Every structure is written in C-alpha cells, then in structure tokens.
Amino acid sequence: MSSSNSHDIHGYPKDKKFVDSVEISVDVDEVVNPNRRQIGLFSAVFIIFNRIIGTGQQTTEFCALPSVFATPSSILGLSGSVGLSLFMWVIGAIIAAAGMQVYIVWGSAVPKNGGEKNYLEYLFRKPKFLITSVFAANGILLAWAAGNSLVFGEYILRAANKEPGRWTLRLVGFACITFAMLLHGTALKWGLRLQNFLGIVKIGILIFVIITGFVALGGHMKIEKPRNFENAFEGTTASASSFCLSLYNVIWSYIGFSNVNYALAEVKNPKRTIRIAGPLAIGVVTILYMLANIAYFAGASKEEITGSGRLVAALLFRNVYGPRAERALSAIVALSALGNVLSVIFSQGRVNQELGREGILPFSKFWGSNRPFNAPLAGLALHWIICLIVIFALPPGDAYNFVINVISYPLSVINASISFGIIYLAFRPRPDWPRVGIPGLIASAFFGAANVFLFIVPLTKPPPGGEPYIDLPYWTHAVAGWAVFGLGFFYWVLWAQVLPRIGRYRLARSEEVGKDGLTRHTFKRIPL
C-alpha cells in the first residue's frame, strides 16, 4: 500500500498537466471552473442539519425512519425508563461527535466531492478499481431519498385532510423527489436557499416543541400531568438485547453528519468550513434532541408514548393544545421531510457524478457531467430513477421495510473501514497524509467500534417487539447489504478482469477536461 507523490490514488502515474487534489490544497477543477465553489459556512451547516433531522413515521404501510419526531417512542419502549432513554441519546451524541471528527480528518485530507468514495480509494489502492466498483454498487443502487419522499406524501395529505391512499401517496412522493431533483439540478443557488430555509424551519419546529414541553411542565395541559421525572429510572430493562437495539436506533437518528463531505469541491475554504460547520451542526442537533425528548416526557405518559404508534410530537401537541393541533403538525412534518429529501439528493447526486468522473460506469461522460446548469443534473437524475423504482415498484410492508434497511446497513461497514483506516495511516502514513492528533485517533477508534456494533447487531436475534419484519427473517437486510457489495465485486471481475482477458486487451486510464470544465477519467482498450 505504498505510494509516492508521482502517482494518483489508484497508483497510476499522474498526468503532468493535472494534479490530483488529494495531494495539493487547490482543487484542479476550481482552476478551470472557479465559479464552482458556491457553498458557504451557513449552507454547509444546514446541509448537515437537514440530513440528520429527518422525520420518521410509524405506520403499517411504510417503515419507521429514525428521527427525533418518532424514534423516542421505540427508545423508551426498549430502554424501559425515561432516565435510561435520555442517557441513550447522550451516548448517541458522543458517537456522532466522534463520527464528525472522522469526517473532518478525511475531508481536510481529501477535500473533493464524493465523500467515502475518495477515502476508500485512498486506503485500498490494490487491486486497481476494485474498491471504486464496490462502492459504486452501494452509491448507485441504494435509494436514500425514497423514504422521506413518501413521508412527505403521507403528511402533506394528512395536512390537507386527505386519506393517504397507496397510489395517491406515491404520486405525491414522486412529485417531491422530482421537484428536489430539478431544483438542485437546474438552480443550485435556489436549491441551497430553500434547503437553508427549511433547516431554519426545522429549528423553529423543535424550539416550538421544546416551548410546548415547558408549558406542559407548568401543568397547562388537557390531561393530568404525567410526572415522568419523579422516578426517572423506574422500569429500566436489564435486557442486553433491548439495550443494544435501543442504542442502534439512537445512533441512526444522528446519521447525516457526513453530508457536506460529498460536496467539498463546491465549498468555499473547505478545510476551515468543515471544521466549523460539522461541530456546530452536531452541537445544535444534540441540544435540540435532548430538550425535545424532555418536552415529550413532560407532555405524555410512558404508556402513551410507547403504545400510541404515532409521532411523539403529535401526542405532545394533542395533550397540550387539543386534537386540532395534530393536523397542523402534519404540515410541519411534511416540510421537515422535504428538507431531508433536498439534502439527501443533493449529496447523492454528487456521489454519482464522482463515480461517473472515475470512468468506471457505463456512459460515464454523461453521469460525470456538470452541464448545462453548472450542477450535476445527470448524477441527480440517476438517483431519482433509483428512488422511483423503490417508490412505485415495491409493495408496502416487509418489502419496503427491507429495502430501506438495506440502504442503511452498508454505511456502517464503510464508516468502520474509514475510521480504522485513520488509525492505520497514523502508523503507516503516506507522504501526503496529514498528522492526526491523539484526540482524532481516539475518536476514530471509538467511531469505528460503534459501526462494527451497527453491522453486527442486525445479525443477532432481536428482543420481543423489536423484529424488523412480519414474515422475513430479521437478518435479511444485513445479508442483502453484503450482497450489494458483492454486486460491485462481480462487476469489477467482469469489467476489469474477465472481459480484458477474453478480448485480449488491457485497460488504460487517461484524464481529460470536459466542456463543463471538470476533469474526468476515461478508459481505452489497448490491444495486447
């Protein structure tokens, strides 16, 4: 795994005209296309914030997505007490802070678009193109934005006092994901402005929830005061499996702190920005999460929270303001879902674009383009297509829950790899690798261990009531997550090994600059 400054991250000699941004502080594409950096500190904070705070829902139609609006119910049910439930959220915040430090280290060392793709390529250089192919299967095939598009559809219909039927829900979800794709693909600045606005709305929502909690603490409620804090640890479960599943749900409620790393080539002063934006976003989210949970416990009994099957915020609003407040909350949740969809498709479009620029995908020039609006419209469209397949082709119930769970699982494997990779590089550094201090190494080890936990827990039998499916085995999505990586490996074997041997040629990679001003790689078949 040795390297020198004369080779790129794949081990190829560099083109003398272009130098990989891994090894210098200036992005090559910025020299050709200086208007590319349009994301400032304010937008970077909300790119992270909008990704972390999704919405979540608990219905029989679609799965529960982790968030501060819904997850507190399952956390309380698994932990058994208010005190342990709040403690679990503190642990989640510590893990998120460690994860943010991991992404700050990598983002500072490799300030390019694409996030984990670049970090894995930096670590695993041989066999050539294998890790990029494996990551491509995960980045392209998994539809991150599909879930919250459907959440948007459900709650906007509820706000309009319409019953969310199966096809009506999907059509509204289609409209949501299409709007997000077109906005970010044709009007980047307006997309960022709307994203920032919805982030501010989310903060306002959570502040209103917190204020409502203080109103409940004062006894101004439609029901008897629940008094959950008098014996906060009463009912604590001693089950290790329940504790593990509870922690699993909490950790996923903080996932999203890596979001700005997918667009670092478009961030102004990326190294400084990520070092400020990341901790700031995590700090604000942690404070809001903790106070929101306190508000929920102030306004609803333990039995209501664990047994209602609805958004916890809806319980709080109903108990303090009456039943009509639940309808207003539906519109609020819909806006939160839209913000999450905008944030997710923003980042995934850039991952797809970077994969296209590697030259590995079919029609790579098209997917790697930044034309015609100086935005990755083609990369966004690729993610949009995968989302539509999930939205329209999958039936509700186990099939849909399975796909959403598969989407989440591989990320824990990737996070563990890049976390332990920082430790590896501390002992075997490369010439262009920055020095990482002891706190950064401790954070990397801690976050890596947390992610090993995340990809092992789904392989263990869940406690009663924690089963993810009705009919499918609990381990199905974990096995499928590894199978997604396997598809990438199979593609690499076919494209980079078998076909060249059959056709008696070798693949030679070259670098070129497109009409959009971005550098990209192309492969030529050199006869043997």
Side-chain angles (χ1 to χ4, degrees), residues 127-167:
K128 294 173 184 176
F129 318 124
L130 171 59
I131 197 64
T132 308
S133 299
V134 170
F135 180 83
N138 171 71
I140 292 172
L141 296 178
L142 302 183
W144 294 86
N148 269 307
S149 297
L150 290 166
V151 175
F152 172 83
E154 176 172 354
Y155 284 96
I156 203 69
L157 288 169
R158 286 185 180 181
N161 208 23
K162 302 287 186 181
E163 186 65 26
R166 179 173 175 180
W167 285 104

mmCIF file of all heavy atoms in Angstrom, residues 127-167:
data_model
loop_
_atom_site.group_PDB
_atom_site.id
_atom_site.type_symbol
_atom_site.label_atom_id
_atom_site.label_comp_id
_atom_site.label_asym_id
_atom_site.label_seq_id
_atom_site.Cartn_x
_atom_site.Cartn_y
_atom_site.Cartn_z
ATOM 1 N N PRO A 127 -6.524 -4.369 -5.376
ATOM 2 C CA PRO A 127 -6.422 -4.319 -6.839
ATOM 3 C C PRO A 127 -7.034 -3.022 -7.397
ATOM 4 O O PRO A 127 -7.979 -2.487 -6.823
ATOM 5 C CB PRO A 127 -7.218 -5.537 -7.301
ATOM 6 C CG PRO A 127 -7.363 -6.418 -6.099
ATOM 7 C CD PRO A 127 -7.372 -5.497 -4.934
ATOM 8 N N LYS A 128 -6.478 -2.561 -8.508
ATOM 9 C CA LYS A 128 -6.923 -1.310 -9.106
ATOM 10 C C LYS A 128 -8.407 -1.358 -9.450
ATOM 11 O O LYS A 128 -8.885 -2.337 -10.016
ATOM 12 C CB LYS A 128 -6.114 -1.007 -10.367
ATOM 13 C CG LYS A 128 -4.644 -0.741 -10.089
ATOM 14 C CD LYS A 128 -3.855 -0.626 -11.367
ATOM 15 C CE LYS A 128 -2.365 -0.446 -11.076
ATOM 16 N NZ LYS A 128 -1.556 -0.431 -12.321
ATOM 17 N N PHE A 129 -9.103 -0.298 -9.079
ATOM 18 C CA PHE A 129 -10.518 -0.063 -9.412
ATOM 19 C C PHE A 129 -11.496 -0.953 -8.643
ATOM 20 O O PHE A 129 -12.697 -0.801 -8.794
ATOM 21 C CB PHE A 129 -10.786 -0.215 -10.914
ATOM 22 C CG PHE A 129 -9.745 0.403 -11.784
ATOM 23 C CD1 PHE A 129 -9.081 -0.335 -12.743
ATOM 24 C CD2 PHE A 129 -9.411 1.739 -11.630
ATOM 25 C CE1 PHE A 129 -8.107 0.241 -13.533
ATOM 26 C CE2 PHE A 129 -8.445 2.326 -12.426
ATOM 27 C CZ PHE A 129 -7.789 1.577 -13.374
ATOM 28 N N LEU A 130 -10.985 -1.875 -7.818
ATOM 29 C CA LEU A 130 -11.910 -2.763 -7.114
ATOM 30 C C LEU A 130 -12.763 -1.992 -6.119
ATOM 31 O O LEU A 130 -13.986 -2.122 -6.113
ATOM 32 C CB LEU A 130 -11.140 -3.880 -6.390
ATOM 33 C CG LEU A 130 -11.971 -4.759 -5.446
ATOM 34 C CD1 LEU A 130 -13.107 -5.435 -6.197
ATOM 35 C CD2 LEU A 130 -11.094 -5.785 -4.743
ATOM 36 N N ILE A 131 -12.151 -1.184 -5.269
ATOM 37 C CA ILE A 131 -12.912 -0.516 -4.219
ATOM 38 C C ILE A 131 -13.906 0.482 -4.811
ATOM 39 O O ILE A 131 -15.001 0.678 -4.283
ATOM 40 C CB ILE A 131 -11.969 0.169 -3.196
ATOM 41 C CG1 ILE A 131 -12.728 0.484 -1.914
ATOM 42 C CG2 ILE A 131 -11.333 1.420 -3.785
ATOM 43 C CD1 ILE A 131 -13.220 -0.738 -1.170
ATOM 44 N N THR A 132 -13.528 1.123 -5.929
ATOM 45 C CA THR A 132 -14.451 2.058 -6.572
ATOM 46 C C THR A 132 -15.664 1.322 -7.121
ATOM 47 O O THR A 132 -16.800 1.801 -7.018
ATOM 48 C CB THR A 132 -13.742 2.821 -7.709
ATOM 49 O OG1 THR A 132 -12.541 3.402 -7.210
ATOM 50 C CG2 THR A 132 -14.633 3.923 -8.257
ATOM 51 N N SER A 133 -15.450 0.154 -7.691
ATOM 52 C CA SER A 133 -16.559 -0.649 -8.220
ATOM 53 C C SER A 133 -17.481 -1.114 -7.094
ATOM 54 O O SER A 133 -18.713 -1.074 -7.221
ATOM 55 C CB SER A 133 -16.020 -1.859 -8.983
ATOM 56 O OG SER A 133 -15.231 -1.466 -10.075
ATOM 57 N N VAL A 134 -16.886 -1.538 -5.984
ATOM 58 C CA VAL A 134 -17.684 -1.997 -4.841
ATOM 59 C C VAL A 134 -18.502 -0.841 -4.266
ATOM 60 O O VAL A 134 -19.689 -0.981 -3.963
ATOM 61 C CB VAL A 134 -16.767 -2.619 -3.763
ATOM 62 C CG1 VAL A 134 -17.538 -2.881 -2.474
ATOM 63 C CG2 VAL A 134 -16.155 -3.910 -4.279
ATOM 64 N N PHE A 135 -17.850 0.320 -4.122
ATOM 65 C CA PHE A 135 -18.574 1.478 -3.591
ATOM 66 C C PHE A 135 -19.655 1.936 -4.554
ATOM 67 O O PHE A 135 -20.723 2.401 -4.123
ATOM 68 C CB PHE A 135 -17.602 2.635 -3.313
ATOM 69 C CG PHE A 135 -18.291 3.849 -2.759
ATOM 70 C CD1 PHE A 135 -18.584 3.945 -1.408
ATOM 71 C CD2 PHE A 135 -18.670 4.898 -3.591
ATOM 72 C CE1 PHE A 135 -19.235 5.063 -0.898
ATOM 73 C CE2 PHE A 135 -19.321 6.012 -3.098
ATOM 74 C CZ PHE A 135 -19.598 6.093 -1.747
ATOM 75 N N ALA A 136 -19.402 1.835 -5.850
ATOM 76 C CA ALA A 136 -20.372 2.278 -6.852
ATOM 77 C C ALA A 136 -21.693 1.518 -6.710
ATOM 78 O O ALA A 136 -22.777 2.096 -6.869
ATOM 79 C CB ALA A 136 -19.812 2.109 -8.260
ATOM 80 N N ALA A 137 -21.620 0.229 -6.423
ATOM 81 C CA ALA A 137 -22.843 -0.559 -6.247
ATOM 82 C C ALA A 137 -23.664 -0.005 -5.100
ATOM 83 O O ALA A 137 -24.892 0.132 -5.200
ATOM 84 C CB ALA A 137 -22.487 -2.018 -5.998
ATOM 85 N N ASN A 138 -23.000 0.354 -4.006
ATOM 86 C CA ASN A 138 -23.693 0.918 -2.855
ATOM 87 C C ASN A 138 -24.229 2.315 -3.156
ATOM 88 O O ASN A 138 -25.388 2.633 -2.862
ATOM 89 C CB ASN A 138 -22.732 0.968 -1.661
ATOM 90 C CG ASN A 138 -23.300 1.742 -0.486
ATOM 91 O OD1 ASN A 138 -24.214 1.285 0.182
ATOM 92 N ND2 ASN A 138 -22.749 2.912 -0.231
ATOM 93 N N GLY A 139 -23.393 3.158 -3.775
ATOM 94 C CA GLY A 139 -23.779 4.544 -4.016
ATOM 95 C C GLY A 139 -24.907 4.701 -5.014
ATOM 96 O O GLY A 139 -25.748 5.594 -4.877
ATOM 97 N N ILE A 140 -24.954 3.831 -6.014
ATOM 98 C CA ILE A 140 -25.932 3.983 -7.086
ATOM 99 C C ILE A 140 -27.229 3.229 -6.806
ATOM 100 O O ILE A 140 -28.326 3.749 -7.012
ATOM 101 C CB ILE A 140 -25.335 3.527 -8.428
ATOM 102 C CG1 ILE A 140 -24.230 4.489 -8.857
ATOM 103 C CG2 ILE A 140 -26.402 3.444 -9.515
ATOM 104 C CD1 ILE A 140 -23.456 4.032 -10.061
ATOM 105 N N LEU A 141 -27.123 2.016 -6.304
ATOM 106 C CA LEU A 141 -28.293 1.147 -6.202
ATOM 107 C C LEU A 141 -29.189 1.445 -5.010
ATOM 108 O O LEU A 141 -30.343 1.013 -4.992
ATOM 109 C CB LEU A 141 -27.844 -0.321 -6.141
ATOM 110 C CG LEU A 141 -27.125 -0.853 -7.378
ATOM 111 C CD1 LEU A 141 -26.707 -2.297 -7.161
ATOM 112 C CD2 LEU A 141 -28.020 -0.740 -8.608
ATOM 113 N N LEU A 142 -28.681 2.137 -3.996
ATOM 114 C CA LEU A 142 -29.469 2.350 -2.788
ATOM 115 C C LEU A 142 -30.109 3.732 -2.803
ATOM 116 O O LEU A 142 -29.431 4.743 -2.932
ATOM 117 C CB LEU A 142 -28.585 2.165 -1.559
ATOM 118 C CG LEU A 142 -27.925 0.778 -1.481
ATOM 119 C CD1 LEU A 142 -27.132 0.636 -0.195
ATOM 120 C CD2 LEU A 142 -28.955 -0.337 -1.589
ATOM 121 N N ALA A 143 -31.438 3.760 -2.656
ATOM 122 C CA ALA A 143 -32.228 4.986 -2.860
ATOM 123 C C ALA A 143 -32.493 5.697 -1.536
ATOM 124 O O ALA A 143 -33.544 5.540 -0.917
ATOM 125 C CB ALA A 143 -33.548 4.644 -3.562
ATOM 126 N N TRP A 144 -31.532 6.498 -1.104
ATOM 127 C CA TRP A 144 -31.621 7.168 0.190
ATOM 128 C C TRP A 144 -32.821 8.115 0.298
ATOM 129 O O TRP A 144 -33.409 8.264 1.367
ATOM 130 C CB TRP A 144 -30.343 7.969 0.426
ATOM 131 C CG TRP A 144 -29.116 7.146 0.575
ATOM 132 C CD1 TRP A 144 -28.310 6.684 -0.437
ATOM 133 C CD2 TRP A 144 -28.538 6.658 1.782
ATOM 134 N NE1 TRP A 144 -27.268 5.952 0.074
ATOM 135 C CE2 TRP A 144 -27.374 5.919 1.427
ATOM 136 C CE3 TRP A 144 -28.880 6.785 3.129
ATOM 137 C CZ2 TRP A 144 -26.571 5.319 2.385
ATOM 138 C CZ3 TRP A 144 -28.068 6.185 4.070
ATOM 139 C CH2 TRP A 144 -26.932 5.456 3.697
ATOM 140 N N ALA A 145 -33.174 8.790 -0.758
ATOM 141 C CA ALA A 145 -34.201 9.836 -0.679
ATOM 142 C C ALA A 145 -35.615 9.303 -0.825
ATOM 143 O O ALA A 145 -36.571 10.060 -0.650
ATOM 144 C CB ALA A 145 -33.936 10.902 -1.750
ATOM 145 N N ALA A 146 -35.784 8.014 -1.136
ATOM 146 C CA ALA A 146 -37.127 7.480 -1.395
ATOM 147 C C ALA A 146 -38.011 7.516 -0.150
ATOM 148 O O ALA A 146 -39.187 7.887 -0.219
ATOM 149 C CB ALA A 146 -37.027 6.052 -1.929
ATOM 150 N N GLY A 147 -37.451 7.118 0.998
ATOM 151 C CA GLY A 147 -38.254 7.005 2.207
ATOM 152 C C GLY A 147 -38.908 8.297 2.619
ATOM 153 O O GLY A 147 -40.127 8.363 2.843
ATOM 154 N N ASN A 148 -38.124 9.375 2.724
ATOM 155 C CA ASN A 148 -38.692 10.640 3.181
ATOM 156 C C ASN A 148 -39.542 11.310 2.111
ATOM 157 O O ASN A 148 -40.340 12.191 2.420
ATOM 158 C CB ASN A 148 -37.582 11.579 3.669
ATOM 159 C CG ASN A 148 -37.338 11.410 5.160
ATOM 160 O OD1 ASN A 148 -38.260 11.483 5.964
ATOM 161 N ND2 ASN A 148 -36.097 11.155 5.533
ATOM 162 N N SER A 149 -39.396 10.914 0.847
ATOM 163 C CA SER A 149 -40.331 11.399 -0.180
ATOM 164 C C SER A 149 -41.735 10.878 0.111
ATOM 165 O O SER A 149 -42.722 11.608 -0.033
ATOM 166 C CB SER A 149 -39.884 10.928 -1.569
ATOM 167 O OG SER A 149 -38.627 11.459 -1.904
ATOM 168 N N LEU A 150 -41.815 9.616 0.537
ATOM 169 C CA LEU A 150 -43.104 9.036 0.888
ATOM 170 C C LEU A 150 -43.630 9.597 2.207
ATOM 171 O O LEU A 150 -44.840 9.772 2.383
ATOM 172 C CB LEU A 150 -42.992 7.520 0.955
ATOM 173 C CG LEU A 150 -42.791 6.845 -0.401
ATOM 174 C CD1 LEU A 150 -42.344 5.399 -0.223
ATOM 175 C CD2 LEU A 150 -44.061 6.898 -1.227
ATOM 176 N N VAL A 151 -42.728 9.886 3.145
ATOM 177 C CA VAL A 151 -43.144 10.533 4.387
ATOM 178 C C VAL A 151 -43.758 11.904 4.074
ATOM 179 O O VAL A 151 -44.793 12.281 4.632
ATOM 180 C CB VAL A 151 -41.952 10.685 5.346
ATOM 181 C CG1 VAL A 151 -42.349 11.470 6.585
ATOM 182 C CG2 VAL A 151 -41.422 9.318 5.746
ATOM 183 N N PHE A 152 -43.111 12.643 3.172
ATOM 184 C CA PHE A 152 -43.660 13.927 2.745
ATOM 185 C C PHE A 152 -45.072 13.744 2.189
ATOM 186 O O PHE A 152 -45.998 14.490 2.527
ATOM 187 C CB PHE A 152 -42.758 14.561 1.684
ATOM 188 C CG PHE A 152 -43.349 15.794 1.047
ATOM 189 C CD1 PHE A 152 -43.236 17.034 1.654
ATOM 190 C CD2 PHE A 152 -44.039 15.704 -0.165
ATOM 191 C CE1 PHE A 152 -43.794 18.163 1.068
ATOM 192 C CE2 PHE A 152 -44.592 16.829 -0.751
ATOM 193 C CZ PHE A 152 -44.469 18.064 -0.133
ATOM 194 N N GLY A 153 -45.238 12.732 1.313
ATOM 195 C CA GLY A 153 -46.544 12.486 0.724
ATOM 196 C C GLY A 153 -47.605 12.186 1.759
ATOM 197 O O GLY A 153 -48.718 12.731 1.706
ATOM 198 N N GLU A 154 -47.271 11.337 2.728
ATOM 199 C CA GLU A 154 -48.264 10.974 3.748
ATOM 200 C C GLU A 154 -48.706 12.178 4.559
ATOM 201 O O GLU A 154 -49.900 12.404 4.777
ATOM 202 C CB GLU A 154 -47.690 9.902 4.676
ATOM 203 C CG GLU A 154 -48.655 9.560 5.804
ATOM 204 C CD GLU A 154 -48.210 8.371 6.626
ATOM 205 O OE1 GLU A 154 -47.213 7.735 6.259
ATOM 206 O OE2 GLU A 154 -48.878 8.093 7.641
ATOM 207 N N TYR A 155 -47.745 12.973 5.023
ATOM 208 C CA TYR A 155 -48.095 14.049 5.946
ATOM 209 C C TYR A 155 -48.653 15.279 5.242
ATOM 210 O O TYR A 155 -49.437 16.018 5.834
ATOM 211 C CB TYR A 155 -46.900 14.381 6.840
ATOM 212 C CG TYR A 155 -46.734 13.332 7.918
ATOM 213 C CD1 TYR A 155 -45.856 12.273 7.752
ATOM 214 C CD2 TYR A 155 -47.512 13.364 9.067
ATOM 215 C CE1 TYR A 155 -45.741 11.284 8.715
ATOM 216 C CE2 TYR A 155 -47.410 12.395 10.030
ATOM 217 C CZ TYR A 155 -46.521 11.355 9.853
ATOM 218 O OH TYR A 155 -46.424 10.371 10.808
ATOM 219 N N ILE A 156 -48.287 15.508 3.999
ATOM 220 C CA ILE A 156 -48.907 16.636 3.292
ATOM 221 C C ILE A 156 -50.360 16.316 2.978
ATOM 222 O O ILE A 156 -51.230 17.198 2.985
ATOM 223 C CB ILE A 156 -48.114 16.999 2.007
ATOM 224 C CG1 ILE A 156 -48.377 18.455 1.598
ATOM 225 C CG2 ILE A 156 -48.450 16.078 0.856
ATOM 226 C CD1 ILE A 156 -47.795 19.466 2.542
ATOM 227 N N LEU A 157 -50.653 15.039 2.731
ATOM 228 C CA LEU A 157 -52.036 14.624 2.510
ATOM 229 C C LEU A 157 -52.845 14.710 3.804
ATOM 230 O O LEU A 157 -54.008 15.133 3.801
ATOM 231 C CB LEU A 157 -52.079 13.202 1.950
ATOM 232 C CG LEU A 157 -51.624 13.046 0.494
ATOM 233 C CD1 LEU A 157 -51.451 11.575 0.139
ATOM 234 C CD2 LEU A 157 -52.628 13.709 -0.459
ATOM 235 N N ARG A 158 -52.237 14.337 4.904
ATOM 236 C CA ARG A 158 -52.929 14.463 6.193
ATOM 237 C C ARG A 158 -53.210 15.920 6.527
ATOM 238 O O ARG A 158 -54.264 16.254 7.078
ATOM 239 C CB ARG A 158 -52.091 13.817 7.302
ATOM 240 C CG ARG A 158 -52.092 12.304 7.277
ATOM 241 C CD ARG A 158 -51.348 11.745 8.479
ATOM 242 N NE ARG A 158 -51.341 10.290 8.468
ATOM 243 C CZ ARG A 158 -50.771 9.555 9.428
ATOM 244 N NH1 ARG A 158 -50.150 10.146 10.428
ATOM 245 N NH2 ARG A 158 -50.817 8.233 9.355
ATOM 246 N N ALA A 159 -52.236 16.783 6.221
ATOM 247 C CA ALA A 159 -52.446 18.208 6.473
ATOM 248 C C ALA A 159 -53.600 18.755 5.640
ATOM 249 O O ALA A 159 -54.305 19.679 6.062
ATOM 250 C CB ALA A 159 -51.162 18.990 6.179
ATOM 251 N N ALA A 160 -53.790 18.178 4.433
ATOM 252 C CA ALA A 160 -54.897 18.591 3.559
ATOM 253 C C ALA A 160 -56.188 17.851 3.894
ATOM 254 O O ALA A 160 -57.178 17.968 3.170
ATOM 255 C CB ALA A 160 -54.520 18.332 2.106
ATOM 256 N N ASN A 161 -56.157 17.069 4.979
ATOM 257 C CA ASN A 161 -57.317 16.298 5.428
ATOM 258 C C ASN A 161 -57.741 15.246 4.411
ATOM 259 O O ASN A 161 -58.929 14.969 4.239
ATOM 260 C CB ASN A 161 -58.495 17.224 5.757
ATOM 261 C CG ASN A 161 -59.411 16.625 6.809
ATOM 262 O OD1 ASN A 161 -58.996 15.763 7.590
ATOM 263 N ND2 ASN A 161 -60.663 17.050 6.826
ATOM 264 N N LYS A 162 -56.739 14.672 3.715
ATOM 265 C CA LYS A 162 -56.990 13.613 2.745
ATOM 266 C C LYS A 162 -56.384 12.310 3.248
ATOM 267 O O LYS A 162 -55.263 12.300 3.764
ATOM 268 C CB LYS A 162 -56.353 13.959 1.384
ATOM 269 C CG LYS A 162 -56.845 15.264 0.771
ATOM 270 C CD LYS A 162 -58.262 15.128 0.240
ATOM 271 C CE LYS A 162 -58.680 16.400 -0.491
ATOM 272 N NZ LYS A 162 -60.074 16.303 -0.998
ATOM 273 N N GLU A 163 -57.125 11.231 3.092
ATOM 274 C CA GLU A 163 -56.585 9.931 3.491
ATOM 275 C C GLU A 163 -55.485 9.518 2.508
ATOM 276 O O GLU A 163 -55.714 9.482 1.294
ATOM 277 C CB GLU A 163 -57.699 8.881 3.488
ATOM 278 C CG GLU A 163 -57.271 7.532 4.026
ATOM 279 C CD GLU A 163 -56.893 7.562 5.497
ATOM 280 O OE1 GLU A 163 -57.406 8.455 6.230
ATOM 281 O OE2 GLU A 163 -56.078 6.727 5.916
ATOM 282 N N PRO A 164 -54.274 9.218 3.000
ATOM 283 C CA PRO A 164 -53.164 8.878 2.093
ATOM 284 C C PRO A 164 -53.308 7.470 1.515
ATOM 285 O O PRO A 164 -52.802 6.499 2.081
ATOM 286 C CB PRO A 164 -51.933 8.998 2.990
ATOM 287 C CG PRO A 164 -52.435 8.792 4.375
ATOM 288 C CD PRO A 164 -53.845 9.290 4.408
ATOM 289 N N GLY A 165 -54.030 7.357 0.407
ATOM 290 C CA GLY A 165 -54.155 6.078 -0.282
ATOM 291 C C GLY A 165 -52.839 5.654 -0.900
ATOM 292 O O GLY A 165 -51.916 6.454 -1.075
ATOM 293 N N ARG A 166 -52.761 4.383 -1.269
ATOM 294 C CA ARG A 166 -51.496 3.806 -1.723
ATOM 295 C C ARG A 166 -50.928 4.545 -2.930
ATOM 296 O O ARG A 166 -49.760 4.937 -2.945
ATOM 297 C CB ARG A 166 -51.715 2.328 -2.055
ATOM 298 C CG ARG A 166 -50.472 1.615 -2.553
ATOM 299 C CD ARG A 166 -50.736 0.126 -2.689
ATOM 300 N NE ARG A 166 -49.604 -0.560 -3.285
ATOM 301 C CZ ARG A 166 -49.573 -1.871 -3.517
ATOM 302 N NH1 ARG A 166 -50.605 -2.623 -3.194
ATOM 303 N NH2 ARG A 166 -48.493 -2.428 -4.069
ATOM 304 N N TRP A 167 -51.722 4.764 -3.952
ATOM 305 C CA TRP A 167 -51.204 5.390 -5.166
ATOM 306 C C TRP A 167 -51.154 6.907 -5.047
ATOM 307 O O TRP A 167 -50.256 7.556 -5.599
ATOM 308 C CB TRP A 167 -52.021 4.952 -6.382
ATOM 309 C CG TRP A 167 -51.683 3.555 -6.766
ATOM 310 C CD1 TRP A 167 -52.417 2.426 -6.535
ATOM 311 C CD2 TRP A 167 -50.473 3.118 -7.401
ATOM 312 N NE1 TRP A 167 -51.751 1.308 -6.989
ATOM 313 C CE2 TRP A 167 -50.554 1.702 -7.535
ATOM 314 C CE3 TRP A 167 -49.340 3.774 -7.877
ATOM 315 C CZ2 TRP A 167 -49.550 0.948 -8.109
ATOM 316 C CZ3 TRP A 167 -48.333 3.014 -8.455
ATOM 317 C CH2 TRP A 167 -48.441 1.631 -8.573
#
